[in-house]
Structure formats: structure tokens, C-alpha cells
Amino acid sequence: MLIFHPKFNQTKRMSLFVRKSIPQLLVEAGDSEKGLKRTLSSGSLIALGIGAIIGAGLFSITGMAAANYAGPGIMISFVIAAIGCGLAGLCYAEFSSMIPVAGSAYTYSYATMGEFIAWIIGWDLVLEYAVGAATVASSWSGYLSKLLSNYGVAFPEELMKTPFDGGILNLPAVFIVVVMSLILIRGTSESAKVNALIVILKVSIVIVFIVLGFNYIRPENLTPLIPENKGSFGEFGWTGVIRAAAVVFFAYIGFDAVSTAAQETKDPKKSMPIGIMGSLLICTVLYILFAYVMTGVTNYKEFEGGELAPVATAINWMGPIVNGVPHPDYPWLNTAIIFAILLGYSSVILVMLLGQSRVFYSMSTDRLLPKIFSDIHKKHRTPYKSNLLFMVFVSLFAAFIPGRVVGEMTSIGTLFAFILVCAGVLVMRYTMKDAPRAFRVPLVPYVPVLGILVCLGMMVFLPFDTWIRLLVWMLIGLDIYAEYGVKKSLMNAGKKHFKDKTIISICGLILSIVLIGLAFAHHNMIKETKGDSALFVFSVIFGSLHIIYFIFKYIRDKRLASSQKD
């Protein structure tokens, strides 16, 4: 039986940092889930983690990161990314064992750090789930193009590329997002056998690729291991390796699914760290071997141009080279693997869209978002309106934004969420010392602090334009919270806390100033090249308008707070 200390059960405190009590969350979980059975063992969690981790990041982003940033050094990038994931994973394990409720970082943070931080994490998770689904859809389109070409079918190229890549729109990416969204609306769920089959399929693809590819590794493709820096920060050299680590971090997204299964684990204290670290270790070894074969079989320069189907490209080079033209020994393998990847990608998109709708469903039930996101279909019992809205949102991203951009946005958004999770453990150890925990992060504060530093380090090495897009996204989130969420919040119902509202304005002002500063820094760095003047102009105008808005809002809320005090 859980016993809760009154010190950390502070639901009566009404402010931007009001917290949901842990007993309240457990009661809600019991009402909605009717008590999940604890049936998962350490082995089950490892299998769950491997199935969730291996996906689009490995089969798509790896080639692009090798071509643009790290070369064969992409192997080292995978190790760096794994270290950041492992440290954050331990923090996730403590969260999930302390609050053993099926949910996400949004739910955990609402109970530990308060509503404002919960909103930030919930809004940031859109970058992991919705934008991540768009990244996978873009890669799905690339592999579909390869599959069709194997059968002599030529789909119009302009309908498979975004306007930024010289096309009109990525139509296949829109198609798969629509199909998966409609499946979610109907409430169709995958059976345990299908899930197990997909896990076996994904791992088999990687193992077959590695085993066959070893016979075609050309040593000259791996020399030098870390190509010389081209004179720009992040373009090869060690800075490129670390930047690639931040990009391929996308390949590890999904391990947090292990931490959310704490409520169904027999012995979470023992099994959670084994499940998280075990799945990460196995996937890291497979990833390093995969990258070794991929860059050994094919020169990393072959992946230039935003190639999102590197496996297909590498398989084409598994054979003799005559007059510089490869003649693949396993053309049938290419077709079989591409078909399997397409099926695997479809399930990844489904899971990401499902995760996104669940996060926004929770935020909507807390009234931080409009009720439309928690409206349930009478027949299918699914948040169908939310699924439809995200079907449109994700389709637009996949249709018009290049896969590289959305992939990096997903990485920076997830890294930011992991930083907040690591920080949350530090906060809990101070504010909730007596809260029962089935698992405790070892060596606190060192492990959480290292997690923060490693994840922040990878964020710093991401391109400037990715940071700019993150700041724009977070400012949009602040706008919605300031004008809707804080006013409609269920936990703050009927309270006029104008003094706390000034915190939103101060945060908004800081973010707006930083956005403009980064926009100018990025513009100066690339002004000698083609540059990205549209992003620069938009960022300056967007940031300037927000400075005006938040100054006005700060003065208004300050005046209202003074009158409220009187």
C-alpha cells in the first residue's frame, strides 16, 4: 500500500506550478485502466524496447547523417547518442516506478514539477510524435519509390519530393499518414502476434543486412574513419561526429516506451533498468555493426542529397563493380527488405500517431487544450477528432517539409524532453524525498546531471536552423498556453493568478530575444552561401511581434496583479 507524505501532495496550491497529487493520478489510472496486470518480465521489456527502438531512424536518417556530418565516424555517433539515452532512460525508470501509471512525461511532470512545465513537455512531445511520424512518412515514400522502380513502375518524381527538393509535394507520405490515421480512428489495434512478428521482422532485416554485407566491405570506404573537417562547424571532423550523434539520436527514440510499462511489470525495481539498458545495449551493438557495414559497402558520399533509403542504396553496392557501376548480387534481397521496411514503417507511424493523440487527449482532459482533442467516437471509442486534426497536420509536414528538417526537429524536441525528465528527478529528490519509489536512479545528482549535459551537448551541435525552429515552436506553445490553457485549466479553475502569469511573459520575452539573436547569428554564418533568407526574415518578424506582445501582456498582468492585491 502506498503512503503519501502531505508535503508533496499540494493540489490546493493554485498557480502555474500547481501539481496533480500522485494518489489522484493513481485513482484516475484505476478508473480508466481497471488495473493492468503485472505480467512483464525483464526479457519482455527488452523485447519491447528493441521493437520500439529499431525503426525509421536507423533505416533513413543514418545515411543522411553519414553523408553530411560524420562519414564512417557515424559508428562513434551512435555510441554518443546511446550514452545520452541511457542516462535519460534511468531517469525515466524512476519516474515510471514512482508513478506506475501508463502515460508519458507529460503526466509525470504534472505530478512533480507542475502545470507550466507539464505544458512545455506536452507541447514539446509533438515534435517527438507528430513531427516524428512525418519523418517516417517521408522515408516511407523514399522506400516506396525504390520498390516501384524494382518492378519497372515510375511514379512521377515531382509527386514524391517536397517543393524544397524540387518537387510539388510528397504524395506517398500523405497517403500513408492518412491510412494510418483512419485505422486509428476505427480503433483497429495490432494483436500480440502481429507485434511480435514486426519485432522479429525488424531485427531480421538488420541481422541479414549485417551478415551479407560483411562480405562486400571495401576498406577504402572506411578510410579515414573520421573525414577531415571542411572548415565549418559540424561538417565532418569531431564536431561533425557529435552533430551526427544528435541527428541519429532519432534512431533511439522509442526506448521510453519501456518506462511507460512499469504498471505492467512484475518487479519494476529490478526489471525496469534491465529492460531499458538491455534494449539500448543490444540496439547500440546492432546499430554500430549496421553503420560499419553500410559505410563499408558504400562510400558515404553516395548518400548525399538527403537520401532517405540508405539500406536500398547499400544493397545495390553488394556485388561486383564494373566500370564504376555496381551490379548487385542480391536484387531479390533488396525488394524483400524494402517491402519489410515499408511494413515496419507503417507500424511506427501508427504508434507515433497513437502516442500523439494520447498526449493531447490527456492535456485536453486537463482542459489545457480544447475539448475537441478529447472527444470520443461513440462507436469506436477513439479520440477521432484529434486523429483527424493530426492527420492533416502531419500530412502537411510530410508533404512539404524535407525529411532532414523534420528529422532534426524531432531529435531536438526529444532531447529537450529528456533534459526536462532528468531535471525532474533532481527536483523530485528535493521536493519528494519520502515518496515511495520502486526504482531509484543511482549516483544522484551525478547521473541526472550527466544526462542533462550529454543531451544538451547533442542539442548544441544540431544546426542553427533547427534551434530556430524549436524556439518558434515553443513560442507558439506559450501563446496557446497564455491565451487558452492557463485560463481554462481544470486545476486552476476559478483562480485569477495574474502575478504568476507574468512568468509566462518573462519566459516569452527571453525566448523571443534569443530567437532574434540566433536568427542573426545563423544569417551571418551562411550569408556567403545561398543561405536561408526566408527563415531569417520570418524569425526576426516573428520574434519582434512576440516581444511587443509579451511586453504588453507583462504590463497588463502586472497592473491586474496590483489591483488584485488591493
Side-chain angles (χ1 to χ4, degrees):
M1 180 177 179
L2 296 178
I3 300 175
F4 297 94
H5 195 283
K7 181 178 179 180
F8 56 81
N9 187 8
Q10 302 181 16
T11 54
K12 292 184 178 180
R13 180 188 172 192
M14 306 307 291
S15 70
L16 290 182
F17 300 99
V18 61
R19 298 196 292 246
K20 275 189 171 184
S21 69
I22 298 178
Q24 179 183 352
L25 284 170
L26 293 176
V27 169
E28 291 176 358
D31 290 340
S32 62
E33 299 166 16
K34 303 302 180 186
L36 296 175
K37 293 182 180 180
R38 294 187 179 275
T39 58
L40 298 178
S41 62
S42 299
S44 301
L45 290 176
I46 290 175
L48 175 65
I50 293 173
I53 294 170
I54 296 178
L58 179 65
F59 297 131
S60 61
I61 302 296
T62 307
M64 181 274 294
N68 297 328
Y69 305 129
I74 192 71
M75 292 179 281
I76 302 173
S77 302
F78 274 120
V79 175
I80 296 172
I83 292 172
C85 287
L87 295 170
L90 290 172
C91 296
Y92 260 100
E94 178 163 332
F95 261 121
S96 59
S97 64
M98 180 181 175
I99 312 171
V101 176
S104 67
Y106 164 77
T107 305
Y108 304 152
S109 59
Y110 213 143
T112 57
M113 293 181 285
E115 181 179 286
F116 186 48
I117 303 301
W119 168 268
I120 292 174
I121 290 182
W123 185 251
D124 179 67
L125 285 175
V126 176
L127 295 179
E128 177 176 355
Y129 293 119
V131 179
T135 306
V136 181
S138 297
S139 184
W140 190 92
S141 176
Y143 277 105
L144 179 66
S145 175
K146 295 281 186 180
L147 182 65
L148 293 176
S149 64
N150 288 345
Y151 288 100
V153 179
F155 198 82
E157 191 172 341
E158 62 271 16
L159 295 180
M160 300 193 77
K161 291 185 176 181
T162 70
F164 296 94
D165 294 325
I168 299 175
L169 81 164
N170 194 334
L171 190 59
V174 174
F175 168 77
I176 191 61
V177 170
V178 171
V179 170
M180 293 299 104
S181 297
L182 293 177
I183 290 175
L184 283 176
I185 291 172
R186 289 187 59 84
T188 302
S189 60
E190 297 170 278
S191 67
K193 290 183 178 179
V194 173
N195 274 323
L197 179 62
I198 291 176
V199 171
I200 294 172
L201 195 62
K202 290 178 181 179
V203 175
S204 298
I205 291 170
V206 176
I207 293 176
V208 169
F209 178 82
I210 291 171
V211 171
L212 293 179
F214 258 105
N215 298 320
Y216 299 94
I217 290 176
R218 301 172 178 88
E220 63 271 18
N221 289 335
L222 297 170
T223 305
L225 180 63
I226 301 176
E228 186 178 351
N229 184 271
K230 290 187 175 181
S232 299
F233 183 86
E235 282 193 63
F236 302 102
W238 277 104
T239 59
V241 169
I242 299 176
R243 172 170 286 184
V247 174
V248 300
F249 179 83
F250 180 81
Y252 287 100
I253 292 175
F255 81 88
D256 48 327
V258 176
S259 68
T260 62
Q263 194 175 351
E264 301 164 84
T265 304
K266 294 177 183 178
D267 185 0
K269 184 176 182 179
K270 174 186 175 182
S271 298
M272 291 307 299
I274 292 176
I276 291 173
M277 303 309 294
S279 59
L280 277 174
L281 179 61
I282 292 172
C283 288
T284 300
V285 172
L286 288 175
Y287 281 10
I288 292 171
L289 292 173
F290 180 93
Y292 174 71
V293 171
M294 188 187 75
T295 54
V297 170
T298 312
N299 189 284
Y300 68 90
K301 296 178 182 178
E302 294 293 328
F303 302 117
E304 289 180 354
E307 176 63 70
L308 287 176
V311 176
T313 301
I315 291 174
N316 283 334
W317 285 83
M318 290 183 184
I321 300 175
V322 181
N323 297 325
V325 179
H327 294 270
D329 286 339
Y330 306 104
W332 58 269
L333 177 63
N334 203 335
T335 301
I337 286 183
I338 290 173
F339 185 73
I341 289 174
L342 287 172
L343 290 177
Y345 273 18
S346 300
S347 70
V348 172
I349 295 170
L350 185 72
V351 172
M352 285 186 167
L353 291 174
L354 175 64
Q356 179 59 70
S357 62
R358 288 192 69 175
V359 171
F360 264 41
Y361 174 83
S362 298
M363 296 174 75
S364 179
T365 55
D366 292 329
R367 298 184 186 173
L368 298 181
L369 287 172
K371 186 176 178 296
I372 190 173
F373 290 103
S374 56
D375 282 345
I376 302 297
H377 195 282
K378 292 181 179 180
K379 178 181 178 181
H380 303 301
R381 307 300 300 168
T382 57
Y384 67 109
K385 293 182 180 178
S386 179
N387 290 136
L388 286 173
L389 288 172
F390 275 106
M391 179 183 75
V392 175
F393 176 79
V394 175
S395 294
L396 289 174
F397 255 83
F400 298 110
I401 307 298
R404 178 195 72 83
V405 173
V406 289
E408 290 173 357
M409 286 180 67
T410 301
S411 290
I412 197 169
T414 308
L415 284 165
F416 182 52
F418 285 2
I419 287 174
L420 293 178
V421 169
C422 292
V425 169
L426 294 174
V427 172
M428 286 195 302
R429 290 297 181 91
Y430 176 74
T431 60
M432 301 183 178
K433 295 179 181 178
D434 302 321
R437 295 163 169 83
F439 170 75
R440 299 177 71 92
V441 175
L443 300 175
V444 173
Y446 303 110
V447 168
V449 169
L450 277 174
I452 292 171
L453 292 176
V454 173
C455 291
L456 182 61
M458 285 190 281
M459 287 180 69
V460 168
F461 277 82
L462 281 167
F464 258 129
D465 59 339
T466 305
W467 275 90
I468 291 171
R469 293 182 181 96
L470 174 67
L471 290 174
V472 170
W473 181 252
M474 299 313 296
L475 280 171
I476 294 173
L478 276 182
D479 293 342
I480 296 173
Y481 182 68
E483 296 301 328
Y484 184 91
V486 74
K487 297 176 181 177
K488 301 289 185 178
S489 167
L490 186 63
M491 295 295 290
N492 279 320
K495 301 294 180 178
K496 297 180 179 180
H497 40 284
F498 296 110
K499 183 177 181 180
D500 281 348
K501 285 184 178 180
T502 58
I503 296 174
I504 302 175
S505 301
I506 293 172
C507 291
L509 277 171
I510 294 173
L511 288 180
S512 301
I513 293 170
V514 172
L515 172 62
I516 294 175
L518 282 179
F520 273 100
H522 179 248
H523 185 66
N524 288 333
M525 287 178 61
I526 63 174
K527 63 183 179 181
E528 294 181 359
T529 62
K530 293 181 180 179
D532 197 345
S533 57
L535 180 63
F536 170 71
V537 172
F538 171 80
S539 300
V540 171
I541 294 175
F542 187 83
S544 300
L545 291 175
H546 274 78
I547 288 176
I548 296 171
Y549 164 72
F550 284 118
I551 289 176
F552 171 78
K553 189 177 186 314
Y554 178 84
I555 295 172
R556 182 190 64 185
D557 290 339
K558 198 77 173 176
R559 186 183 300 117
L560 290 172
S562 299
S563 62
Q564 189 181 45
K565 188 183 296 185
D566 296 336

